[in-house]
């Protein structure tokens, strides 16, 4: 199923697709060399937006949920990737402990946990689910609407290790983004592999570090393909601390938004694009509660500020400050059943294992789709994303379109590996 593109599958995106296909041997070699030097995140998912004139990742998640949206056809790829990843980290691994988010009532999220258990069980591991939620004091079996069951067990912390009663894992897989902070129970573990590392958690991770790494990579990758890196890179700027409620930092934010809209206009003019530019304002630190705001005009910021002041006043709250980034807005001109859609690509180790479309009929092409009302349609990765079809007309072949998405997603994954290296508190420093 190739999505319906409003751009009728013509124009710059097809030139980019052709360029990617023509450069396939060079691209794959480039990735191979990167992975010789750097360690991929254990697993990741990347939200991609295809505007018809540019294709860019807009968010990279290092604790991906939603594994239950992958189809059965995608499972063999995920299992093979899981085997490769585990083999690299702990070849003698026998027991794996999965630590989920604490909201145990969300059955959709728990179906994702059940799918992860299934993948790692098929990869040859004994898998149990250990909850760090203080409310879980004894094993709790939860029946899910799809027929799966998940058993949440309370974790047991020893002096140097974490496990369950009668279960000692050599590897611990976090499916908990640690947005609320790093719980002490996960710190100072010895002789156990914790994946991903604690500094990937949203309480310490900053989007600007990731975007900086991605920008540098997109320049090198653009040179390899002979393209303008802007075609695959969303521009961004750090706007410092902002409080919408009391107006702190709003003047700096306004000037950044104004500058970014001007830059985008310039690019649109260069490429003859007749779209209204917009930017996205979001917390630099993922734990921020501000959400994602679409800003089409500097005047929108005044309205947002007034609304926040009203809300804060009504709730009797103080002014919450967030470190904020301004990111170039990328339209999504994809449609599934006439609803706005964006591809989300899933990876484990350095492999693309599948993905789906996030579809939201209630949102417009320049808005955040990860909101109530979103549904999920599997991507046609059943014909593996690693097997493009040379010679097929650009824009007409599902494997070619999805190969291109896989390339952009892997580029974001390389950026995540650079970001994790740069922010590693235990990195050895060589003078």
């Amino acid at each position: 199923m190739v999505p319906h593109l409003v751009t009728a599958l013509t124009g710059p995106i097809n030139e980019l697709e052709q360029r990617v296909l023509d450069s396939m041997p060079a691209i794959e070699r480039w990735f191979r060399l990167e992975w010789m030097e750097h360690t991929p995140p254990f697993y990741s998912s990347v939200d991609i937006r295809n505007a018809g004139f540019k294709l860019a990742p807009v968010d990279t998640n290092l604790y991906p949920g939603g594994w239950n949206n992958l189809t059965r056809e995608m499972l063999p790829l995920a299992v093979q990737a899981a085997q490769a990843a585990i083999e690299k980290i702990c070849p003698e691994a026998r027991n794996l402990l999965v630590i989920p988010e604490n909201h145990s009532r969300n059955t959709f999220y728990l179906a994702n946990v059940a799918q992860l258990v299934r993948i790692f069980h098929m990869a040859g591991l004994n898998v149990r689910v250990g909850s760090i939620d203080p409310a879980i004091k004894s094993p709790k079996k939860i029946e899910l609407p799809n027929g799966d069951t998940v058993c949440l067990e309370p974790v047991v912390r020893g002096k140097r290790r974490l496990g369950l009663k009668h279960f000692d894992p050599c590897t611990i897989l976090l499916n908990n983004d640690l947005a609320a902070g790093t719980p002490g129970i996960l710190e100072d573990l010895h002789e156990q592999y914790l994946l991903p590392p604690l500094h990937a958690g949203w309480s310490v991770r900053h989007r600007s570090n990731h975007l900086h790494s991605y920008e540098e990579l997109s320049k090198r990758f653009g040179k390899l393909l002979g393209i303008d890196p802007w075609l695959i890179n969303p521009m961004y700027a750090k706007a410092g601390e902002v409080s919408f409620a009391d107006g702190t930092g709003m003047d700096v934010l306004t000037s950044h938004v104004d500058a970014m809209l001007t830059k985008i206009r310039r690019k649109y003019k260069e490429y003859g694009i007749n779209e209204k530019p917009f930017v996205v304002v979001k917390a630099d630190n993922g734990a921020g509660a501000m959400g994602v705001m679409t800003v089409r005009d500097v005047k929108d910021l005044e309205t947002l500020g007034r609304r926040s002041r009203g809300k804060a006043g009504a709730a009797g709250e103080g002014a919450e400050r967030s470190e904020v980034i301004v990111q170039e807005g990328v339209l999504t001109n994809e449609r599934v059943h006439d609803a706005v859609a964006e591809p989300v690509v899933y990876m484990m180790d350095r492999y693309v294992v599948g993905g789906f479309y996030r579809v939201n009929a209630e949102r417009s092409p320049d808005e955040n789709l990860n909101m109530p009302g979103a549904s999920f349609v599997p991507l046609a990765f059943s014909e593996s994303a690693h097997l493009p079809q040379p010679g097929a007309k650009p824009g007409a072949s599902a494997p070619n379109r999805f190969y291109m998405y896989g390339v952009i997603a892997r580029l974001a994954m390389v950026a995540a590996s650079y970001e994790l290296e740069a922010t590693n508190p235990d990195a050895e420093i060589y003078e």
Side-chain angles (χ1 to χ4, degrees):
M1 176 193 71
V2 172
H4 166 59
L5 274 175
V6 169
T7 46
L9 299 171
T10 58
I13 209 71
N14 285 350
E15 290 162 33
L16 180 61
E17 187 177 301
Q18 193 62 60
R19 191 67 63 94
V20 165
L21 291 172
D22 292 345
S23 313
M24 191 178 131
I27 288 171
E28 294 306 325
R29 177 175 179 272
W30 189 87
F31 279 122
R32 272 199 306 279
L33 295 177
E34 285 297 324
W35 297 131
M36 284 170 73
E37 303 275 327
H38 305 280
T39 306
F42 185 77
Y43 58 1
S44 53
S45 69
V46 178
D47 297 358
I48 293 175
R49 300 196 90 166
N50 182 349
F53 52 84
K54 84 180 275 177
L55 181 74
V58 290
D59 215 5
T60 302
N61 189 352
L62 300 180
Y63 297 90
W67 288 90
N68 50 312
N69 293 315
L70 302 192
T71 60
R72 291 213 168 271
E73 292 80 14
M74 297 173 191
L75 280 186
L77 281 177
V79 171
Q80 284 171 340
Q83 284 171 327
I86 291 285
E87 214 165 281
K88 219 162 48 180
I89 293 155
C90 178
E92 69 281 6
R94 183 179 296 153
N95 296 341
L96 175 78
L97 183 66
V98 177
I99 295 190
E101 298 281 358
N102 284 354
H103 44 65
S104 61
R105 282 184 294 279
N106 181 340
T107 54
F108 189 78
Y109 171 74
L110 289 173
N112 143 75
V113 174
Q115 182 85 307
L116 278 172
V117 170
R118 184 180 292 119
I119 289 168
F120 286 100
H121 178 71
M122 288 163 143
L125 295 166
N126 300 315
V127 191
R128 304 264 287 269
V129 182
S131 177
I132 54 173
D133 185 347
I136 303 282
K137 293 188 167 52
S138 60
K140 181 180 179 185
K141 219 168 193 180
I142 300 166
E143 302 278 338
L144 302 177
N146 65 0
D148 282 341
T149 55
V150 172
C151 183
L152 299 176
E153 301 180 66
V155 294
V156 178
R157 172 70 200 234
K159 198 169 181 184
R160 298 162 73 80
R161 293 174 78 84
L162 189 68
L164 305 174
K165 199 175 175 182
H166 311 309
F167 186 78
D168 184 26
C170 85
T171 307
I172 296 163
L173 179 65
L174 286 176
N175 195 243
N176 178 326
D177 66 10
L178 308 180
T182 305
I185 198 168
L186 297 176
E187 290 177 332
D188 303 318
L189 294 174
H190 296 271
E191 303 142 14
Q192 278 178 311
Y193 296 95
L194 186 66
L195 307 166
L198 291 177
H199 67 280
W202 269 131
S203 53
V204 284
R205 192 180 167 214
H206 283 78
R207 285 187 170 89
S208 53
N209 290 334
H210 179 78
L211 291 166
H212 172 73
S213 297
Y214 185 83
E215 189 169 72
E216 294 307 303
L217 278 164
S218 66
K219 286 175 190 166
R220 281 173 40 211
F221 197 74
K223 203 172 271 182
L224 176 79
L225 292 187
I227 59 164
D228 176 354
W230 177 74
L231 294 172
I232 54 172
N233 176 45
M235 297 184 286
Y236 82 101
K238 285 170 77 165
E241 278 206 344
V242 173
S243 166
F244 286 96
D246 70 2
T248 311
M250 286 298 282
D251 47 347
V252 178
L253 176 61
T254 303
S255 68
H256 275 299
V257 167
D258 196 31
M260 185 62 74
L261 286 168
T262 305
K263 271 184 182 168
I264 302 169
R265 264 184 222 110
R266 207 172 289 142
K267 275 292 180 190
Y268 280 13
K269 194 172 177 190
E270 182 187 330
Y271 283 93
I273 294 159
N274 296 320
E275 295 286 357
K276 189 173 169 59
F278 69 101
V279 299
V280 171
V281 176
K282 51 187 167 185
D284 188 3
N285 181 298
M290 63 176 282
V292 177
M293 303 177 193
T294 300
V295 179
R296 302 168 185 87
D297 192 301
V298 176
K299 291 194 204 78
D300 295 352
L301 287 172
E302 293 167 26
T303 316
L304 288 169
R306 274 201 302 276
R307 209 176 296 152
S308 297
R309 283 192 289 280
K311 269 187 200 164
E317 290 167 1
E320 190 186 323
R321 296 183 181 194
S322 298
E323 283 186 46
V324 165
I325 58 166
V326 177
Q327 196 175 338
E328 175 191 353
V330 182
L331 290 165
T332 177
N333 265 337
E334 305 233 32
R335 299 288 179 278
V336 172
H337 311 309
D338 293 333
V340 180
E342 66 188 5
V344 185
V345 176
Y346 275 62
M347 290 163 293
M348 199 172 285
D349 195 53
R350 60 200 184 99
Y351 306 102
V352 172
V353 297
F356 53 82
Y357 279 106
R358 183 183 287 121
V359 182
N360 199 324
E362 294 162 29
R363 313 291 287 176
S364 60
D366 61 356
E367 289 182 311
N368 176 21
L369 304 188
N370 195 3
M371 299 290 282
S375 59
F376 306 94
V377 176
L379 281 177
F381 272 145
S382 50
E383 303 175 65
S384 167
H386 294 302
L387 303 175
Q389 296 178 336
K393 205 165 101 234
S397 151
N400 289 356
R401 176 64 35 109
F402 298 135
Y403 174 72
M404 178 169 68
Y405 291 164
V407 166
I408 297 300
R410 284 185 286 160
L411 199 56
M413 177 170 48
V414 179
S417 81
Y418 277 47
E419 170 201 359
L420 290 177
E421 281 167 24
T423 55
N424 183 358
D426 303 320
E428 292 178 31
I429 295 163
Y430 300 101
E431 290 301 335

